[in-house]
Amino acid sequence: MKVELDPEFLRTSMTLWRDAVDMKIPVHDDFKIHFMENRAKILDGFVNTATSWSLVLNACKQVAPEAESLDQLKADVQAFKKWANDGLAELRGL
């Protein structure tokens, strides 16, 4: 089976999710409250999402050498997962 992957979609999703939860982008006040109240649950969901993406990416192989590096995308997903795990650890420390 051949699957086409849009790495920019994954990167854009991770960036927007991170920036929204960290309140680095303008969001409605109701969302700010939601993000604060549910931060642990949201970060846990991000860890699960990154884990699932990693499972899929680890089952892929790069067939076009001129295409963007699959290894770099895997590293970006791992960095997102680390950010979410670090946030959870920080919350546990409070």
Side-chain angles (χ1 to χ4, degrees), residues 72-90:
Q72 182 58 54
L73 182 59
K74 290 177 185 180
D76 292 343
V77 170
Q78 287 304 310
F80 177 72
K81 183 177 178 179
K82 181 182 180 326
W83 164 80
N85 272 321
D86 289 349
L88 285 170
E90 183 180 325

Side-chain angles (χ1 to χ4, degrees), residues 41-62:
K41 186 175 181 179
I42 292 167
L43 291 174
D44 188 52
F46 290 162
V47 169
N48 291 334
T49 298
T51 300
S52 297
W53 282 351
S54 291
L55 288 171
V56 169
L57 292 174
N58 286 331
C60 295
K61 67 178 181 177
Q62 187 165 343

Side-chain angles (χ1 to χ4, degrees), residues 4 7 19 28 43 57 59 64-65 71 73 77 84 86 91 94:
E4 245 180 80
D19 289 350
H28 190 276
L43 291 174
L57 292 174
D71 289 336
L73 182 59
V77 170
D86 289 349
L91 287 174
L94 296 177

